[in-house]
Amino acid sequence: MTIKYNSKYLDDIKCALVNGELIIFPTETVYGLGANALNEKAVHSIFKAKGRANDNPLIVHLANKSDINKYAIISNEVERKLIDCFMPGPFTIILKKRDIIPNIVSANLDTVGIRIPNNYIAHNILEFTRIPIAAPSANISGRPSGTQIKDIELEFKDKVKYIIDGSESEIGLESTVVKVIDGVPTILRPGFVTREDIISVVGECNLSSNLFNANITEKVESPGMKYRHYAPKNEVLLVYSSNNDTLCNLVKENLKGRTTVIGNSVLKDIDCYKFINYGDTLGEISHNIFHLLRIADQDNPDLIIIEGVPKTGLGLAIMNRLIRACSYNYIEKD
Ligand code: TXA
Ligand code: MG
């Protein structure tokens, strides 16, 4: 059942979580598919509802920084500084886990991802219930993450107790996932909190070498990197050039049958099946992109061409998602 968020529902939401049921709730990044993190059976039903591989661990959401110590261990000053600066917010830190977190949540790793959302609805739920909520993004595994209620209802309507409507997700891309390795923060998944932001606080920040890799077979720091992700059902091609003429030519050269083009206004006059404007700033693109991938998919075009962005700041996160959405079908020209 979908409910428009109101604090009068907090008792019902708590009841659902206590009973091991699933809820879908808004955060500032994307919607989460949540259950009581301490209830193994409830967590199992998250994996089932999403069709998620059981070696891919879940993030645990908490109300306040002071709750972290109950579920995980802060081992050094770098971790402490990151927590002080970026939480609450669109930031997940991988910490050594305490035994109270069931192994199913962490996929048998000895670490757990901790996030403190700053969306007021997520915060109110966590604060009122005092239940740690394990939650992946609200989408069937492999599909674009859920950022709008209508998209989420199509996939989960009959699978969860409540879908809590908090309108469109503000940021639209999932949180930055960071693990401190040998004293250095390492971004396992880029997001709204950028590498530049982290460097300004702790002086250094590495990027996982797998952010743009196609065939990941070896052991990876973040199991989520291995899987096909964010993908529409139809074929996708990602193109990028910093030169507008080269970019337009790249698109024109690759048109195929009914091609839908997603990009900024520079591409609007290209003669194609459909043009979708994804916005002109990185913030707008991040907010819109997952929903637009779903829209483009709806009428089964022969090809979806997406315009890439520079891989700096928030652009790194956008490109990390798009490179997976296109299954590494990517052309870049100067
Ligand atoms: O913004 C977000 O992070 C959203 C909202 C709902 O909070 N959640 C989200 O969860 O994106 P999910 O499950 O779709 O993505 C979590 C990512 C996965 O790539 C997973 O592999 C990684 O975080 N992860 C979780 N726990 C980990 C751990 N202990 N070590 C390494 N990576 C971990
Ligand atoms: Mg996800």
Side-chain angles (χ1 to χ4, degrees), residues 25-34 46 50 52 55-61 89-97 105-117 133-139 141 145-146 171-179 188-189 220-227 229-230 321:
F25 63 101
T27 82
E28 70 274 31
T29 56
V30 299
Y31 276 78
L33 169 62
I46 296 179
K50 258 187 90 100
R52 180 170 174 120
D55 69 348
N56 193 1
L58 305 180
I59 296 172
V60 174
H61 299 69
F91 186 83
T92 296
I93 188 157
I94 308 296
L95 297 173
K96 198 159 170 26
K97 111 177 170 59
V105 172
S106 60
N108 292 315
L109 298 174
D110 58 5
T111 54
V112 61
I114 299 284
R115 174 152 130 73
I116 302 172
I133 300 181
S137 51
N139 55 277
S141 278
S145 299
I171 294 174
L173 294 182
E174 310 86 342
S175 62
T176 307
V177 177
V178 172
K179 183 175 183 183
L188 306 184
R189 180 179 69 185
V220 288
E221 281 294 346
S222 185
M225 293 180 185
K226 288 187 303 204
Y227 296 103
H229 225 300
Y230 315 114
R321 306 314 192 273

